[in-house]
């Protein structure tokens, strides 16, 4: 069972703050959004970094605010509770989101937003929460259920629950959220399997 770190050893959520700060910088610094946004045509011409950096680009302050709120809360809890693999989860989810959009959404030229990674982070936190006891376990079970239903609804209806505002019409990409869930489940299962294998191989 994963237990929170003692208060005396409180961990600063470095990765959470770094990624959130980068997303804010990309939104506020002139020229960064254009240089980093997922642009299918430019990716096809060799600018492969946009597959990942597009996750850091947001098209409105409201869009950024929604993503940052969820990411800061879930990411900080993961790091403070010293759950393993957070940096790997964020990088792998960012790559997976870009790859899924590129392969399965050929009509989408532009993509931006941290929501696919946020979904991965929330699901990952909740999966670890299910290994605990008490109210935290039930809270995680509820959030995990709501997140799953939300993504299923988005996939079925092709639209988002949230109005993100912005100058341009918002076209949801529910496949990015599904990619986030898949990454969270995969990393969680991998870590649990490796832990069991290590325990079996450890001498008595």
């Amino acid at each position: 069972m994963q237990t929170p770190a003692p208060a005396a050893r409180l961990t600063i959520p470095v990765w959470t703050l770094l990624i959130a700060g980068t997303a804010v910088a990309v939104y506020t610094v002139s020229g960064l959004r254009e240089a980093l946004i997922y642009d299918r045509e430019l990716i096809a011409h060799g600018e492969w970094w946009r597959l990942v950096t597009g996750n850091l680009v947001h098209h409105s302050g409201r869009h950024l605010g929604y993503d940052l709120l969820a990411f800061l809360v879930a990411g900080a809890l993961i790091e403070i509770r010293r759950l393993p693999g957070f940096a790997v989860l964020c990088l792998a989810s960012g790559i997976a989101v870009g790859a899924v959009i590129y392969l399965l959404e050929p009509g989408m030229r532009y993509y931006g937003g941290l929501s696919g990674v946020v979904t991965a982070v929330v699901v990952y936190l909740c999966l670890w929460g299910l290994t605990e006891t008490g109210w935290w376990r039930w809270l995680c079970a509820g959030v995990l259920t709501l997140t799953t239903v939300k993504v299923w609804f988005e996939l079925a209806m092709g639209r988002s629950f949230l109005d993100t505002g912005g100058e341009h019409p918002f076209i949801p990409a529910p496949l990015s959220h599904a990619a986030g869930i898949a990454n969270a489940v995969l990393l969680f299962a991998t870590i649990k399997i490796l832990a069991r294998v290590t325990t079996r191989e450890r001498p008595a």
Side-chain angles (χ1 to χ4, degrees):
M1 180 180 71
Q2 187 75 27
T3 57
R9 300 176 57 203
L10 185 65
T11 300
I12 297 175
V14 175
W15 285 107
T16 301
L17 295 175
L18 178 62
I19 294 170
T22 302
V24 171
V26 170
Y27 182 74
T28 56
V29 177
S30 177
L32 282 182
R33 277 187 284 179
E34 292 75 11
L36 300 179
I37 192 170
Y38 172 104
D39 183 327
R40 188 176 186 86
E41 290 189 10
L42 294 179
I43 291 171
H45 285 86
E47 298 187 13
W48 292 98
W49 67 83
R50 294 176 181 270
L51 287 169
V52 180
T53 59
N55 293 280
L56 297 170
V57 177
H58 293 82
H59 72 282
S60 73
R62 191 183 302 175
H63 186 202
L64 175 65
Y66 285 147
D67 282 350
L68 283 189
L69 177 61
F71 183 77
L72 285 169
V73 172
L77 284 172
I78 287 175
E79 293 197 79
I80 290 172
R81 299 172 76 85
R82 299 178 184 272
L83 302 178
F86 179 63
V88 173
L89 174 69
C90 291
L91 179 59
S93 298
I95 294 172
V97 166
V100 165
I101 296 298
Y102 191 82
L103 294 173
L104 302 181
E105 293 281 8
M108 183 174 291
R109 176 171 178 181
Y110 299 107
Y111 172 80
L114 201 60
S115 60
V117 177
V118 169
T119 302
V121 171
V122 170
V123 169
Y124 190 68
L125 173 65
C126 291
L127 289 172
W128 281 105
L130 294 181
T131 67
E132 300 187 24
T133 58
W135 68 269
W136 178 246
R137 179 177 184 174
W138 290 107
L139 176 61
C140 288
V143 172
L144 187 59
T145 300
L146 289 174
T147 302
T148 303
V149 170
K150 171 183 176 292
V151 174
W152 176 85
F153 173 86
E154 291 172 338
L155 287 169
M157 304 301 293
R159 66 185 183 90
S160 174
F161 279 108
L162 302 178
D163 172 19
T164 57
E167 299 176 3
H168 307 290
F170 177 70
I171 301 174
L175 283 174
S176 67
H177 302 162
I181 290 178
N183 267 272
V185 172
L186 179 60
L187 181 60
F188 176 77
T190 300
I191 290 175
K192 297 295 285 185
I193 291 171
L194 290 176
R196 290 176 184 175
V197 170
T198 302
T199 301
R200 289 175 185 172
E201 293 179 349
R202 188 176 301 161

